[in-house]
Amino acid sequence: MADTGIVAHRNTERSNRTKSSCKFKWVPTSDTALKTAEERILRHVNFDYETRFVPLCGNRGRLWTAIFNPTNSTKTPFVFVHGFGSGLGLWALNVASLSQQRPFYAFDLLGFGRSSRPKIPKKEEVIEEMFVESIEAWRKEMKLDKMILVGHSFGGYLVSNYAMKYPDRIQHLILVDPWGFPETPSLIRKLGSLVIGRNGSLLQLLRAAGPYGPGLMKRSRRDIREKYIDLFDDNTVLNYIFHCNARKPSGERAFARLMLSLGKSVQPMIQRIHKVKKEVPITFIYGENTYPMINPGMGEMTKEIRQGCYVDVHIIKNASHQVYADQPEEFNNLMLQVCEDMA
C-alpha cells in the first residue's frame, strides 16, 4: 500500500479490480475517485484507526466504516451518523478530540458515501425501516452492546427512529441539529406532495452538470471549504463531497421521499419522539444560526413532551447547521462534557 501519511492505519477493504475503460464519462466520478478523496480527508489523522466494509446480514449490502482509536478504552463508544449528502470524512474536525476518551465509530449511511446504494422503496415506513435495520445489522456485526448514538441532520432523524425500536442499545441519544422534527400545516403538506413528487433526486443538477460539476460545487459551497480551512487550504473537502454525491442516487431519493415542501418531514419526529423509551436520555445540540426548517424550539418541545425524562438542549453560538464544523472546539468540549460520567 502506498504511504498515505497515516499512522498505524489498517484498511481491511478488499481490492476490487475493474477493467479500465477509455469511454468518456459525463459525470467525472467513480468508486476509486471517492476512495482517493476520502483518503485525502483522513490523511491528517495521526493516530490509530481502521476502515472496512461491514456486511449487513441478509444480503442487504454493506456499510463503509471507520473506527478511530479502536483499542483506546473499554468505555461505551461514540457512533456518529452523518446527515444528507455527507459521509464519514466530514467528522475530520472531531475525531482527534473525541476519540481520546472512548472509541469513535462512524459509517456511511446506506445509500450514501462508499456504502451500498440499494433501490429505494416507495413507502415512507418501509424506507425508515430499511435504515433502522441497516444500523441494527451494523451494530450486531460490530458486536457493540451499547452506543452513545450521535446523529446529525437527516442522521438525527434516522437515529431517533432507531431509538424507538432499539432503545436498549443506546446509552445516550445525541441529536445534532436534527432534521425532520417540526410539523407541517395540512395545506402545505398537500401542496408539497404535489410540487415535489415522490421520486425527486435533490442533487440532479450536480450530475446534470457533468464535467462542470466539480466547478459548480466549488463555486456554490465555498462556505464548507472555509469550515475546514484549518485542516485543508485547498478544495479537498469539496472534492470529497462532490464524489459522495455525484454517484448513483440512492440515499438522496430516500430523503426526497421522506420530505415535504420547505424541507419538512412527511412524518414529523416531534409527533413520535414520545415513543422512545423513557429511560433513554436525549441531548439536543443546535447551531444558533441553523436553517429555519430545523427549528431549535423542537428541543424544548421535546422536553415538554417527555416530562420526567432526561432531555437537555444546547445552543452553540456563531454556528449554523454544520455545528460540528462551524465551532468544532466548542462542539467537541460539549460532547465530552455530556458524556463525562458515562461508562
Side-chain angles (χ1 to χ4, degrees):
M1 180 183 295
D3 181 15
T4 61
I6 295 173
V7 177
H9 172 216
R10 183 162 62 89
N11 186 339
T12 57
E13 173 190 3
R14 291 182 180 179
S15 176
N16 291 316
R17 295 186 180 274
T18 57
K19 294 182 179 180
S20 62
S21 172
C22 60
K23 291 182 179 179
F24 173 72
K25 290 181 65 176
W26 176 249
V27 182
T29 191
S30 65
D31 291 345
T32 300
L34 176 55
K35 177 178 182 291
T36 301
E38 182 187 80
E39 287 174 347
R40 292 193 65 188
I41 289 279
L42 297 179
R43 193 172 295 169
H44 79 285
V45 177
N46 58 1
F47 53 86
D48 186 24
Y49 77 95
E50 59 188 66
T51 55
R52 65 185 174 99
F53 285 108
V54 176
L56 306 179
C57 62
N59 197 30
R60 288 181 289 183
R62 56 187 189 169
L63 299 186
W64 178 245
T65 300
I67 312 168
F68 300 91
N69 273 338
T71 60
N72 179 52
S73 172
T74 58
K75 289 184 176 181
T76 303
F78 286 119
V79 174
F80 272 65
V81 182
H82 65 78
F84 174 76
S86 186
L88 64 82
L90 293 188
W91 302 118
L93 293 166
N94 315 110
V95 293
S97 175
L98 298 183
S99 65
Q100 298 308 307
Q101 300 298 320
R102 59 184 76 239
F104 184 117
Y105 290 70
F107 59 83
D108 288 342
L109 280 164
L110 204 62
F112 292 94
R114 297 181 65 188
S115 292
S116 298
R117 298 193 170 221
K119 183 178 180 180
I120 301 301
K122 292 185 178 181
K123 293 185 178 180
E124 297 93 350
E125 296 83 358
V126 181
I127 294 173
E128 291 182 352
E129 182 182 11
M130 178 190 75
F131 280 112
V132 167
E133 294 306 324
S134 70
I135 296 172
E136 175 59 8
W138 177 89
R139 182 201 64 79
K140 287 181 178 178
E141 188 68 25
M142 300 304 293
K143 297 180 172 56
L144 300 180
D145 182 50
K146 290 271 193 177
M147 306 176 285
I148 298 173
L149 193 55
V150 185
H152 171 251
S153 192
F154 184 44
Y157 178 84
L158 295 177
V159 298
S160 297
N161 272 283
Y162 178 88
M164 286 189 277
K165 188 166 185 179
Y166 297 105
D168 295 336
R169 297 303 178 185
I170 300 175
Q171 182 160 337
H172 201 110
L173 182 64
I174 301 179
L175 305 177
V176 182
D177 237 57
W179 173 84
F181 268 73
E183 295 177 302
T184 305
S186 58
L187 177 59
I188 294 179
R189 286 176 63 86
K190 292 178 182 178
L191 291 174
S193 61
L194 290 173
V195 172
I196 293 180
R198 310 316 307 279
N199 297 302
S201 184
L202 302 180
L203 295 165
Q204 287 175 342
L205 181 60
L206 194 65
R207 287 182 290 274
Y212 303 102
L216 176 63
M217 173 65 71
K218 293 170 186 176
R219 288 191 297 274
S220 62
R221 295 314 308 262
R222 290 191 181 96
D223 60 310
I224 293 182
R225 171 178 166 163
E226 292 302 312
K227 298 176 195 295
Y228 291 84
I229 198 68
D230 288 343
L231 292 182
F232 313 106
D233 60 0
D234 56 13
N235 291 310
T236 293
V237 170
L238 294 181
N239 186 51
Y240 171 68
I241 295 173
F242 171 78
H243 289 296
C244 277
N245 293 292
R247 299 165 69 234
K248 173 187 173 183
S250 177
E252 67 185 85
R253 283 185 173 159
F255 181 72
R257 290 176 185 176
L258 294 173
M259 184 184 71
L260 285 173
S261 63
L262 304 179
K264 302 292 182 66
S265 169
V266 173
Q267 301 188 82
M269 188 54 62
I270 197 65
Q271 297 175 351
R272 298 182 284 162
I273 196 66
H274 68 278
K275 296 180 181 180
V276 176
K277 195 174 180 180
K278 65 180 182 179
E279 288 79 10
V280 176
I282 302 176
T283 294
F284 289 84
I285 300 176
Y286 289 101
E288 179 185 32
N289 304 315
T290 189
Y291 306 139
M293 66 182 178
I294 297 299
N295 190 352
M298 294 294 100
E300 294 298 332
M301 187 174 293
T302 301
K303 267 189 178 183
E304 296 177 10
I305 293 171
R306 293 176 60 83
Q307 290 187 17
C309 305
Y310 182 95
V311 179
D312 201 8
V313 182
H314 299 268
I315 308 290
I316 294 185
K317 292 185 177 181
N318 300 315
S320 64
H321 184 52
Q322 289 81 24
V323 55
Y324 58 89
D326 284 318
Q327 299 293 340
E329 184 175 357
E330 186 171 350
F331 174 82
N332 294 339
N333 289 338
L334 178 56
M335 288 288 298
L336 294 175
Q337 176 187 329
V338 168
C339 304
E340 185 176 11
D341 297 326
M342 297 183 197

